[in-house]
């Protein structure tokens, strides 16, 4: 038995140890304009941002207004106890929270609990998702990022402390109908299972400026090659090279646009696990195959997952550099080790990049607990299974993006896992879940997470669903039909073939505008597809409509629905197709025909368009410009352009043309295109057609 003196001594020792490991007043340093950082305890050597390895765009960040640290410093607490880091940030009444990764069900996250964990999405917003980015944006105009590659638990305004500054009202459930099982909470509380962490706070003052700073700190958004914004078809798993060439022919016969073909697992001599080597029976002549596509203006994107098959040539080289556990009998290369990266690079360059492969679809990096490496796995780098899970998809993106950059070629591909720091990555997230409405909410939420998302279309029960889904995907970062399992073609439902073709062509016509939106993502950090909550002064709550750039509001329709509610921000809004006034700062129930996805343009919206075409313009190809103006007011916009394929734009090989609409003496609107004197690239014909869509 321990005597009292001994117990007292041990208790005192315990207090000293706890206090010695705890810190509570963080020291905040402004590290970039409007971005503040604090390090608590001993942060991990490998973090999300260290893996993403992006260079901040300081020049663009310094153009955003920055005043002071946006939160009451004294109300933030950070403590390290027993190898765990506890963080607390205050919340005000009425404040809403957005973000916490790629969620599919909700946009308003206050009151939710998340365990941020890279995983496939299984139908619940619980933090397990393809991009569980530990970043949130407040409606009050600030943001918080926890830069730790850990399974982070977040109580986003759900726990109530005994010492809460603003405790919930005490209610008697017997008598008070307002009693709630989830009473008000005045803090976000976060548990990072590590000895410390790096925390970033972003100033606004608007939610959009918070997001801009976050994206710019991560290098600015990715500017895809022009062809990446055209239409892409992924073919059935076992298609051979001749099947694919026949499919390309069918696209021509159906007069359907096509910029790149997605080649699914069958290109490899073994898949699940993978050899990353061409299958000799289905793809006897890969170079001839790629060349034949290329002559037709089409590129190839290759599917893979990172698990290395014992029958491939990479296996013996990578075996000593792989984790302790297999996935489907394949080894898991430790891609945090430079030697592993080098071995993969040599193989991929020789067999794919040098042949002209345009990019990859990197599958299965999100994992399912039932087949992925377990949390007890070890890796030769010494990083834990948990850390590897949180960064694997991110590292695959960073590594492969570097290969294409080395060749001065822009790529644009797919990933199923991502995390913080990914804004500048050339990858779009997709998944196996298939709920049209939830896909739109994910698109909305992607703008709070610095990632791109495609609501890919695969199959449909009815022609109505088919056309509605295609309409949505044509208004997303990647217009993709993924036919790997179903073999569907855009024309699979003949009764809506024309409507499907029209919306695909509308996307092609809008390419100058969409490319502009991505240029804005790159140079200013504004997401190309974004939540309405990022529009200044937007006062409604919605999760199924979004903005494409500054000017176009997209309100997708879903099968079975003939009408829908659209929430319009302040300012006047016009119908994209007719130019007619629709509404301002209000919600309206609109009716939409099956053939059209509802699109609205804000007052003064200037939309540069080109004629219908089948492939994104190649470098040097010049298309005619039609510039539309909506509303009754003078306005101006910028038209960004470059060669569309290389990184030469970073060295000034680009142009920013001014599009100005003004009123003449008679009060009529007139358009003027002003080319800059420093312009290096301009892929449009000289004659420009201005279309004033709204009756004056
Ligand atoms: C899935 C992926 C699908 C398809 C398939 C091929 O994991 O999400 O899009 O590529 O693998 O086997």
């Amino acid at each position: 038995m321990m005597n009292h003196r001994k117990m007292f001594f041990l208790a005192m020792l315990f207090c000293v140890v706890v206090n010695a490991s705890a810190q509570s007043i963080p020291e905040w340093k402004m590290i970039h304009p409007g971005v503040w950082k604090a390090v608590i305890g001993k942060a991990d050597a490998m973090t999300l941002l260290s893996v993403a390895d992006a260079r901040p765009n300081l020049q663009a960040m310094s153009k955003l207004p920055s005043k002071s640290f946006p939160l009451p410093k004294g109300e933030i607490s950070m403590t390290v106890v027993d190898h765990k880091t506890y963080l607390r940030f205050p919340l005000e009444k009425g404040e809403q929270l957005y973000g916490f990764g790629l969620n599919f069900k909700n946009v308003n996250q206050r009151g939710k609990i998340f365990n941020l964990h890279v995983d496939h999405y299984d139908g619940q917003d619980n933090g397990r998702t393809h991009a569980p980015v530990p970043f949130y944006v407040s409606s009050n105009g600030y943001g918080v990022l926890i830069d730790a590659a850990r399974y982070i638990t977040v109580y986003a305004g759900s726990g109530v402390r005994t010492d809460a500054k603003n405790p919930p009202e005490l209610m008697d459930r017997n008598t008070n109908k307002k009693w709630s099982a989830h009473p008000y909470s005045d803090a976000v509380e976060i548990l990072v299972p590590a000895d410390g962490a790096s925390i970033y706070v972003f100033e606004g003052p608007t939610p959009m400026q918070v997001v801009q700073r976050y994206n710019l700190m991560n290098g600015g958004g990715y500017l895809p090659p022009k062809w990446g914004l055209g239409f892409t078809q992924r073919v059935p798993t076992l298609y051979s090279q001749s099947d694919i060439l026949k499919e390309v022919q069918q696209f021509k016969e159906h007069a359907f646009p096509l910029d790149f073909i997605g080649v699914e697992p069958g290109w490899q001599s073994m898949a699940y696990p993978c050899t990353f080597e061409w299958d000799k029976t289905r793809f006897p002549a890969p170079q001839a195959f790629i060349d034949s596509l290329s002559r037709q203006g089409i590129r190839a994107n290759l599917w893979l997952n990172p698990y290395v098959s014992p029958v491939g040539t990479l296996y013996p080289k990578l075996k000593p550099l792989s984790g302790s556990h297999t996935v489907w009998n394949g080894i898991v290369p430790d891609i945090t080790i430079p030697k592993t990266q080098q071995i993969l690079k040599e193989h991929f360059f020789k067999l794919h990049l040098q042949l002209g492969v345009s990019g990859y679809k990197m599958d299965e990096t999100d994992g399912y607990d039932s087949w992925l490496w377990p949390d007890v796995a070890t890796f030769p780098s010494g990083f834990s299974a948990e850390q590897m899970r949180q960064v694997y998809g991110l590292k695959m993106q960073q590594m492969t993006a570097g290969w294409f950059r080395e060749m001065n070629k822009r790529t644009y591909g797919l990933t199923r896992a991502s995390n913080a720091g990914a804004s500048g990555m050339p990858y779009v997230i997709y998944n196996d879940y298939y709920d049209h409405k939830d896909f739109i909410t994910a698109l909305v939420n992607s703008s709070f997470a610095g990632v791109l998302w495609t609501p890919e279309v695969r199959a449909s029960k009815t022609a109505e669903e088919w056309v509605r889904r295609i309409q949505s995907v044509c208004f997303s970062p990647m217009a993709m039909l993924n036919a790997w399992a179903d073999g569907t073609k855009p024309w699979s439902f003949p009764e809506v073939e024309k409507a499907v073709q029209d919306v695909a062509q509308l996307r092609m016509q809008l390419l100058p505008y969409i490319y502009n939106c991505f240029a804005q993502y790159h140079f200013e950090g504004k997401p190309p597809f974004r939540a309405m909550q990022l529009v200044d002064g937007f006062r409604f709550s919605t999760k199924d409509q979004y903005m494409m750039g500054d000017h176009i509001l997209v309100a997708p329709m879903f099968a079975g629905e003939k009408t829908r509610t659209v929430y319009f921000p302040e300012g006047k809004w016009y119908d994209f197709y007719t130019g007619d006034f629709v509404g301002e700062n209000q919600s309206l129930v609109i009716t939409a025909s099956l053939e059209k996805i509802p699109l609205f343009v804000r007052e003064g919206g200037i939309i540069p368009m080109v004629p219908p075409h089948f492939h994104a313009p190649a470098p040097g190809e010049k298309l005619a410009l039609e510039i539309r103006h909506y509303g009754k007011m003078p306005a101006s916009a910028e038209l960004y352009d470059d060669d569309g394929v290389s990184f030469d734009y970073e060295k000034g090989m680009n142009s920013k043309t001014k599009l100005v609409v003004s009123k003449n003496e008679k009060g009529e609107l007139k358009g003027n295109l002003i080319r800059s004197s420093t312009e290096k690239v301009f892929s449009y014909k000289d004659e420009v057609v201005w279309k004033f869509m709204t009756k004056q």
Side-chain angles (χ1 to χ4, degrees):
M1 278 290 272
M2 217 187 283
N3 66 29
H4 277 98
R5 267 180 71 139
K6 256 192 185 157
M7 272 172 68
F8 177 69
F9 175 71
L10 279 178
M12 287 302 291
L13 187 69
F14 177 69
C15 287
V16 169
V17 169
V18 167
N19 283 333
S21 61
Q23 294 176 28
S24 37
I25 305 166
E27 202 193 310
W28 293 99
K29 275 204 193 111
M30 200 203 262
I31 52 152
H32 307 307
V35 181
W36 305 73
K37 181 177 179 183
V39 181
I40 169 87
K42 193 173 167 299
D44 289 332
M46 180 173 72
T47 70
L48 303 173
L49 296 191
S50 79
V51 170
D53 196 26
R55 204 171 332 124
N57 181 344
L58 297 178
Q59 213 191 347
M61 290 174 97
S62 64
K63 287 192 191 140
L64 295 169
S66 155
K67 272 208 322 253
S68 54
F69 191 81
L71 280 163
K73 281 189 189 161
E75 290 180 35
I76 300 176
S77 119
M78 301 191 178
T79 318
V80 181
V81 185
D82 188 24
H83 306 295
K84 293 185 190 72
T85 301
Y86 297 86
L87 312 170
R88 180 155 46 98
F89 297 88
L91 287 175
E92 281 180 10
K93 278 229 161 70
E95 183 175 355
Q96 189 48 266
L97 302 176
Y98 310 115
F100 300 111
L102 190 68
N103 289 300
F104 287 68
K105 295 276 180 196
N106 298 298
V107 174
N108 293 344
Q109 310 299 6
R110 187 162 179 177
K112 305 278 171 9
I113 299 170
F114 301 101
N115 188 249
L116 300 176
H117 192 310
V118 170
D119 204 340
H120 71 287
Y121 180 74
D122 79 349
Q124 287 176 70
D125 281 3
N126 56 15
R128 282 185 174 248
T129 178
H130 309 273
V133 181
F135 173 59
Y136 66 94
V137 180
S138 159
S139 59
N140 281 3
Y142 67 87
V144 177
L145 166 70
I146 317 302
D147 182 23
R150 298 281 178 179
Y151 302 151
I152 298 173
T153 306
V154 178
Y155 301 89
S158 71
V160 180
R161 298 175 63 95
T162 53
D163 62 352
K165 194 174 156 205
N166 293 304
E169 195 186 323
L170 178 66
M171 292 180 194
D172 179 357
R173 193 180 181 186
N174 287 333
T175 53
N176 193 335
K177 287 213 167 65
K178 283 205 228 138
W179 183 93
S180 160
H182 303 284
Y184 176 79
S185 156
D186 65 355
V188 175
E189 292 179 285
I190 297 172
L191 194 168
V192 186
D195 285 320
S198 298
I199 325 294
Y200 295 76
V201 166
F202 299 79
E203 281 182 54
T206 64
M208 174 60 102
Q209 285 159 334
V210 173
V211 167
Q212 284 180 266
R213 279 184 218 278
Y214 171 85
N215 288 329
L216 290 169
M217 184 179 92
N218 297 312
Y222 186 69
L223 182 61
K226 287 182 181 172
W227 57 261
L229 300 176
F231 195 84
T232 179
Q233 172 88 1
R234 302 204 69 87
V235 300
T237 298
L238 290 179
Y239 260 33
S240 65
Q241 66 178 69
S242 66
D243 294 333
I244 295 177
L245 294 172
K246 272 184 225 142
E247 178 123 328
V248 166
Q249 195 50 40
Q250 285 183 26
F251 267 74
K252 283 188 193 156
E253 283 156 20
H254 284 268
F256 205 87
L258 181 64
D259 266 292
F260 60 113
I261 280 276
V263 193
E264 287 286 316
W267 71 271
Q268 295 187 58
S269 55
M270 178 187 265
Y272 297 86
C274 295
T275 56
F276 315 103
E277 286 159 24
W278 296 91
D279 180 77
K280 290 197 173 63
T281 51
R282 288 182 292 270
F283 291 82
Q287 183 70 73
F289 164 64
I290 306 275
D291 289 347
S292 162
L293 286 178
S294 154
R295 279 192 298 275
Q296 303 178 71
I298 292 161
R299 288 162 168 87
N301 171 290
L302 300 183
W303 174 98
L304 58 84
N305 67 48
Y307 313 116
V308 183
S309 165
V311 303
T313 55
L314 273 175
Y315 188 86
K317 297 182 204 160
L318 290 174
K319 182 77 192 358
L321 296 161
S322 294
S324 57
H325 286 64
T326 56
V327 175
W328 305 309
N329 277 322
I331 48 171
V332 183
D334 188 335
I335 51 173
T336 67
I337 298 174
K339 193 170 167 204
T340 313
Q341 296 163 17
Q342 189 56 32
I343 293 169
L344 286 167
K345 182 178 159 184
E346 277 162 22
H347 184 95
F348 280 57
F349 260 75
K350 196 165 131 225
L351 294 188
H352 323 142
L353 275 82
Q354 279 163 6
L355 269 54
V357 164
S358 73
Y360 295 103
K361 167 175 172 179
M362 302 184 300
D363 207 20
E364 318 284 12
T365 47
D366 47 347
Y368 276 55
D369 284 358
S370 56
W371 54 252
L372 202 78
W373 64 83
D375 283 348
V376 296
T378 55
F379 286 86
S381 58
F383 294 122
S384 67
E386 171 191 16
Q387 289 171 300
M388 291 299 275
R389 178 108 179 226
Q390 297 299 74
V391 305
Y392 210 95
L394 190 63
K395 184 69 203 173
M396 286 288 287
Q397 294 180 66
Q398 188 266 349
M399 175 175 74
T400 50
W403 299 343
F404 287 95
R405 184 173 259 283
E406 243 177 68
M407 299 178 83
N408 193 23
K409 264 172 101 169
R410 279 185 254 168
T411 177
Y412 198 45
L414 293 149
T415 178
R416 231 172 61 184
S418 197
N419 216 321
S423 317
M425 301 291 180
Y427 288 99
V428 180
I429 305 172
Y430 67 97
N431 74 3
D432 284 341
Y433 183 75
Y434 198 54
D435 183 288
H436 189 185
K437 278 195 177 169
D438 290 357
F439 268 20
I440 301 305
T441 302
L443 185 54
V444 169
N445 281 326
S446 65
S447 62
F448 296 116
V451 296
L452 299 170
W453 159 259
T454 173
E456 67 168 42
V457 58
R458 295 200 284 267
S460 289
K461 291 197 191 72
T462 62
E464 183 199 8
E465 184 191 339
W466 186 247
V467 73
R468 290 309 190 196
R469 281 186 180 269
I470 297 236
Q471 287 169 349
S472 297
V473 86
C474 285
F475 283 82
S476 84
M478 192 180 276
M480 173 167 74
L481 199 172
N482 180 9
W484 76 277
D486 307 281
T488 39
K489 319 283 174 223
W491 48 88
S492 283
F493 291 85
E495 58 274 52
V496 291
E497 179 171 351
K498 169 83 174 55
V500 166
Q501 202 175 34
D502 284 353
V503 72
Q505 270 305 349
L506 180 57
R507 180 179 176 99
M508 298 306 286
Q509 289 183 264
L510 282 166
L511 281 187
Y513 177 79
I514 299 177
Y515 199 55
N516 250 2
C517 298
F518 276 92
Q520 203 186 32
Y521 189 29
H522 179 70
F523 294 107
E524 297 170 43
K526 288 185 173 179
F529 295 85
R530 57 182 89 133
M532 298 307 300
Q533 288 79 355
L534 289 173
V535 177
D536 287 356
F538 186 73
R539 63 184 175 90
F540 304 100
S541 171
T542 164
K543 56 178 188 174
D544 63 0
Q545 65 178 72
Y546 53 93
M547 294 296 299
M548 180 165 88
D550 287 339
H551 299 305
I552 299 183
L553 189 164
V554 185
M557 296 294 298
F558 305 98
E561 296 177 6
K562 302 271 175 285
T563 62
R564 61 157 294 159
T565 304
V566 182
Y567 299 90
F568 293 96
E570 283 168 2
K572 293 194 161 47
W573 290 81
Y574 299 87
D575 183 289
F576 170 82
Y577 304 95
T578 63
D580 294 343
F581 172 73
V582 183
E584 61 184 310
N585 200 14
Q586 67 192 122
S587 68
L588 282 176
V589 176
I590 58 138
T591 310
S593 71
L594 184 63
E595 292 71 39
K596 290 198 161 75
I597 177 169
L599 301 172
F600 305 93
V601 185
R602 67 157 74 243
E603 172 68 60
I606 294 181
I607 315 289
M609 294 173 68
V610 284
H613 53 294
F614 297 102
H615 313 292
E621 191 181 337
K622 288 194 187 283
L623 296 175
L625 256 187
E626 171 186 302
I627 308 177
R628 295 191 181 181
H629 169 272
Y630 290 80
K632 302 189 170 185
M633 306 296 283
S636 67
E638 218 170 50
L639 173 62
Y640 175 79
D641 197 22
D642 58 25
D643 68 12
V645 292
S646 77
F647 289 96
D648 293 351
Y649 69 90
E650 291 176 348
K651 298 178 212 125
M653 292 300 288
N654 60 31
S655 62
K656 287 176 180 166
T657 303
K658 278 229 157 66
L659 309 176
V660 181
V661 171
S662 50
K663 279 193 174 162
N664 64 15
E665 321 77 60
K666 289 190 229 147
E668 296 159 345
L669 291 174
K670 281 270 167 297
N672 198 4
L673 180 146
I674 307 164
R675 290 169 66 167
S676 124
S677 56
T678 58
E679 166 201 299
K680 295 278 187 329
V681 187
F682 189 69
S683 337
Y684 301 100
K685 293 187 178 150
D686 285 339
E687 62 280 13
V688 175
V689 175
W690 288 85
K691 248 193 174 166
F692 298 98
M693 295 294 292
T694 306
K695 266 207 202 91
Q696 300 300 306

